[in-house]
Amino acid sequence: MERYYFTSEAVTEGHPDKICDKIADKILDTALKIDKESKMAVEATIKDNLVFIYGEAKTNAKLDYEEIALNVIKDIGYTERFNVITKVGEQSLEINKAVESTETMAGDQGIMFGFATNETEELMPLPIVLANKLAQKLTSVRKSNPDSPLKPDGKTQVTVEYVDGIPSRIDTIIVSSQHIKNITQEELKKYIIENVINEVIPPNLIDENTKYLINTSGSFVIGGPFGDSGTTGRKIIVDTYGGASRIGGGCLSSKDPSKIDRSAAYYTRYVAKNVVAHGLCDKCEIQVSYAIGRPKPISLLIETFNTEKVSIDKIKKYIDDNFDFSVSNIIKELDLLNVEYYNVAAYGHFGRNDLNLPWERIKK
């Protein structure tokens, strides 16, 4: 038997990087609701009580960047007073000319990967599914209980033991959560195990050797932007497959669908998930590449990790017959101008069965 351990991590929406992802995607959502032709790449950085919003935008929407940012921070759960500095210019005319024509062109060059595996019902790797669910549970427990000792910032990590490529058990669960001052580490550990871990982790994956590591640094009272800085786009492995698959060169949050870093990442996930869902292989990774100003991919690669049930040629034919990787079609087929991107800015962009995401559909 081949035995190995694989680990993925996740963060809560109160993590400083995720604050910035959520600000960026709320700005994008606001622009697209008013002007579907908006071309947006507006990001954020946060440290202490200072927020810096910057980037490029071409939109008819009149955006109050400061108000959007402050509302996001309040929604996450921070009560401190924040100051906002804004530096947003117009999208480069050269880039805009390359993107806008009779057919939508790729807004940048780059490589994107999509991935799926049948080891979970979400068709996602088990470690990242559980890590994200733990992070999400930390937040829901905090927000639903006014007396909760938990605060907004937090991180989770799950190590799964695989036997012959199949998840066998959970070896280690790590949770670090910001908390109130008046609680002991023993009380906090008991609270998190009972209210978070036991509510998320399937009991059949736990055994007497599973290790629970809770707030291993000790006290975690100072958190969020007051404990660390944050920037949009620094959690792309958390956002995607937890390291179980290769990822592209660009982040997802802040970018409108003409930016293929985002739209093609969604579409390749869509294709890979359908290949696995229809039983053509157990595991699938799709790579595409684009050139700025071109409507279709420059290359497409299919990787099944020797799990294919039919020939690679038949898988390729299935993809060619059912999917169109042109930028215009991706935006249209996945209805990407009408997605609430704020909802996926934390807890993963893929495998979200709690959301009705178009790139998670199974195509008949």
Side-chain angles (χ1 to χ4, degrees):
M1 292 190 300
E2 182 192 16
R3 189 183 304 271
Y4 62 89
Y5 299 85
F6 192 86
T7 303
S8 294
E9 73 156 350
V11 297
T12 66
E13 63 188 44
H15 185 282
D17 291 332
K18 278 293 148 201
I19 297 172
C20 295
D21 284 342
K22 288 179 77 72
I23 290 173
D25 276 340
K26 179 58 78 172
I27 290 169
L28 173 63
D29 287 346
T30 306
L32 288 177
K33 282 181 181 178
I34 300 169
D35 177 11
K36 298 298 183 188
E37 298 301 317
S38 297
K39 299 296 182 289
M40 306 294 294
V42 178
E43 303 179 4
T45 289
I46 192 168
K47 177 56 185 164
D48 294 335
N49 65 340
L50 179 64
V51 183
F52 183 32
I53 297 173
Y54 53 93
E56 297 79 43
K58 184 178 186 294
T59 180
N60 292 321
K62 304 302 181 185
L63 301 174
D64 188 334
Y65 294 106
E66 179 177 0
E67 182 181 28
I68 292 170
L70 294 177
N71 284 339
V72 168
I73 293 169
K74 181 180 178 181
D75 179 60
I76 289 171
Y78 288 103
T79 58
E80 293 85 356
R81 182 182 179 88
F82 288 82
N83 298 312
V84 180
I85 299 174
T86 303
K87 182 66 175 178
V88 178
E90 286 218 357
Q91 184 184 50
S92 160
L93 293 176
E94 294 170 315
I95 293 176
N96 187 253
K97 183 179 179 181
V99 173
E100 293 189 348
S101 66
T102 54
E103 179 179 7
T104 302
M105 304 297 181
D108 201 353
Q109 71 175 50
I111 58 171
M112 300 85 217
F113 289 91
F115 182 73
T117 172
N118 63 6
E119 67 186 60
T120 62
E121 65 177 358
E122 295 89 353
L123 300 186
M124 287 282 288
L126 181 61
I128 189 61
V129 168
L130 294 180
N132 271 320
K133 286 183 177 180
L134 286 171
Q136 197 167 21
K137 191 66 174 176
L138 280 172
T139 296
S140 65
V141 167
R142 169 177 62 85
K143 287 187 171 182
S144 63
N145 180 8
D147 296 323
S148 171
L150 305 180
K151 291 294 186 180
D153 196 1
K155 301 180 80 171
T156 65
Q157 192 167 291
V158 177
T159 300
V160 174
E161 180 180 331
Y162 286 77
V163 177
D164 291 336
I166 299 173
S168 172
R169 56 179 291 274
I170 293 176
D171 182 75
T172 307
I173 298 169
I174 302 175
V175 177
S176 296
S177 178
Q178 184 186 12
H179 57 83
I180 62 174
K181 287 183 179 180
N182 299 322
I183 188 171
T184 68
Q185 291 303 305
E186 291 75 18
E187 291 171 333
L188 182 66
K189 181 175 182 177
K190 183 175 184 290
Y191 184 89
I192 288 175
I193 290 176
E194 290 179 354
N195 294 279
V196 178
I197 295 175
N198 290 349
E199 295 294 318
V200 169
I201 303 298
N204 63 303
L205 294 175
I206 301 293
D207 60 26
E208 66 276 9
N209 295 316
T210 299
K211 298 178 283 293
Y212 298 88
L213 305 178
I214 311 298
N215 279 34
T216 53
S217 67
S219 179
F220 185 5
V221 173
I222 301 172
F226 301 94
D228 196 4
S229 60
T231 295
T232 299
R234 289 206 300 205
K235 287 290 179 285
I236 55 177
I237 292 178
V238 170
D239 288 339
T240 53
Y241 307 103
S245 169
R246 289 170 285 193
I247 55 173
C251 72
L252 304 174
S253 290
S254 83
K255 297 172 181 176
D256 72 85
S258 74
K259 315 293 193 301
I260 37 79
D261 279 335
R262 179 165 225 158
S263 53
Y266 293 157
Y267 202 73
T268 50
R269 160 63 179 174
Y270 178 53
V271 175
K273 183 174 182 178
N274 274 270
V275 169
V276 172
H278 289 295
L280 302 180
C281 58
D282 294 334
K283 189 182 295 187
C284 182
E285 184 182 78
I286 306 287
Q287 187 212 44
V288 290
S289 66
Y290 288 82
I292 190 169
R294 298 291 181 90
K296 295 185 177 183
I298 304 303
S299 66
L300 185 148
L301 174 68
I302 304 166
E303 173 61 74
T304 62
F305 307 94
N306 296 318
T307 68
E308 65 271 15
K309 310 301 181 184
V310 298
S311 69
I312 297 295
D313 286 341
K314 286 186 177 180
I315 295 176
K316 186 176 187 304
K317 185 177 188 308
Y318 164 74
I319 292 173
D320 290 342
D321 289 347
N322 290 280
F323 300 95
D324 177 359
F325 288 83
S326 65
V327 180
S328 293
N329 177 71
I330 290 174
I331 294 172
K332 179 181 178 182
E333 185 175 356
L334 298 184
D335 197 23
L336 293 182
L337 296 177
N338 293 297
V339 171
E340 291 279 347
Y341 293 106
Y342 185 71
N343 293 334
V344 294
Y347 314 117
H349 293 244
F350 306 123
R352 295 291 300 276
N353 289 351
D354 58 322
L355 302 172
N356 185 27
L357 299 173
W359 54 87
E360 295 295 320
R361 294 195 308 260
I362 305 301
K363 194 171 186 177
K364 294 184 178 180

